[in-house]
Amino acid sequence: MSNNAAAVETPGPVVINRVPLWLAVALTVVISLPFGLWFGKYNFTLWCAFIAWAEYFALGAKPRAIPTILISFGYAAVLTGLSLAIIPVFGFLPNMVTPGDIPTAASLFVVVAFMVYSMKWSHHFIDGSLPFFNGISMGLAVYFTSSYPQLGPAALMPITAAIWATAMAAFGILLGVITVALQFPAKR
């Protein structure tokens, strides 16, 4: 007879959601609508918020994902805003098709290359590569669609857009937390 006894594994606690995901998501969308419809020029940029909402779920829908998303997304969005703000530094470059196209490309090339190089400096950037790259794309999208409150001098609009994109990411994370809470998870 062998001394190798079969190990019996008892399952640990299992999370049971008392409300299905489809219903919690639909409720979250309805909860978010007033923020995107009722505040005039301060309407929230919900498409940006729902990008971060999806990141929250992609990174496990746990509170530990929040700092990774905020740090990665915010860093990339703000540096993208900075790259847009320093386009005039490259104003000596010619234009190809539209005014400022080559200066914009040069500025973005320099700053984005630096940003991606800097990813190795923080585990948040590596673990949060999805929000990191979304911070770049959402910073650009919010700026180029003028989907942010037009506050302050024109020279600071790229930074305003980056801060707005980051605020929308924070709102998106909150929507993710709400979606999880609306499922009324219980451990069994």
Side-chain angles (χ1 to χ4, degrees), residues 49-104:
F50 276 101
I51 292 293
W53 173 87
E55 293 166 0
Y56 183 70
F57 282 92
L59 295 178
K62 301 284 185 215
R64 70 178 177 270
I66 295 171
T68 297
I69 296 169
L70 285 176
I71 292 167
S72 295
F73 188 106
Y75 173 80
V78 169
L79 284 184
T80 299
L82 179 64
S83 75
L84 295 168
I86 65 168
I87 290 170
V89 170
F90 296 92
F92 65 90
L93 295 172
N95 301 316
M96 186 179 289
V97 177
T98 60
D101 57 1
I102 300 297
T104 300

Side-chain angles (χ1 to χ4, degrees), residues 2-186:
S2 171
N3 283 339
N4 296 334
V8 178
E9 291 187 36
T10 57
V14 175
V15 175
I16 304 295
N17 292 322
R18 293 176 274 179
V19 172
L21 180 64
W22 64 267
L23 184 56
V25 169
L27 288 168
T28 302
V29 169
V30 170
I31 289 167
S32 74
L33 284 179
F35 297 95
L37 297 173
W38 294 352
F39 300 131
K41 72 178 185 178
Y42 298 102
N43 278 343
F44 284 25
T45 312
L46 294 180
W47 47 267
C48 183
F50 276 101
I51 292 293
W53 173 87
E55 293 166 0
Y56 183 70
F57 282 92
L59 295 178
K62 301 284 185 215
R64 70 178 177 270
I66 295 171
T68 297
I69 296 169
L70 285 176
I71 292 167
S72 295
F73 188 106
Y75 173 80
V78 169
L79 284 184
T80 299
L82 179 64
S83 75
L84 295 168
I86 65 168
I87 290 170
V89 170
F90 296 92
F92 65 90
L93 295 172
N95 301 316
M96 186 179 289
V97 177
T98 60
D101 57 1
I102 300 297
T104 300
S107 181
L108 284 167
F109 178 83
V110 169
V111 176
V112 170
F114 167 77
M115 270 193 288
V116 175
Y117 180 82
S118 74
M119 286 180 78
K120 66 183 179 179
W121 298 339
S122 171
H123 72 89
H124 289 294
F125 300 159
I126 295 166
D127 297 343
S129 61
L130 176 63
F132 187 97
F133 288 108
N134 281 337
I136 297 170
S137 64
M138 291 298 100
L140 292 170
V142 166
Y143 177 73
F144 284 120
T145 61
S146 297
S147 300
Y148 59 95
Q150 307 293 309
L151 302 170
L156 294 180
M157 287 297 116
I159 303 300
T160 303
I163 292 168
W164 189 254
T166 303
M168 293 304 99
F171 181 65
I173 293 167
L174 175 63
L175 292 175
V177 170
I178 289 169
T179 303
V180 171
L182 286 173
Q183 294 179 82
F184 295 97

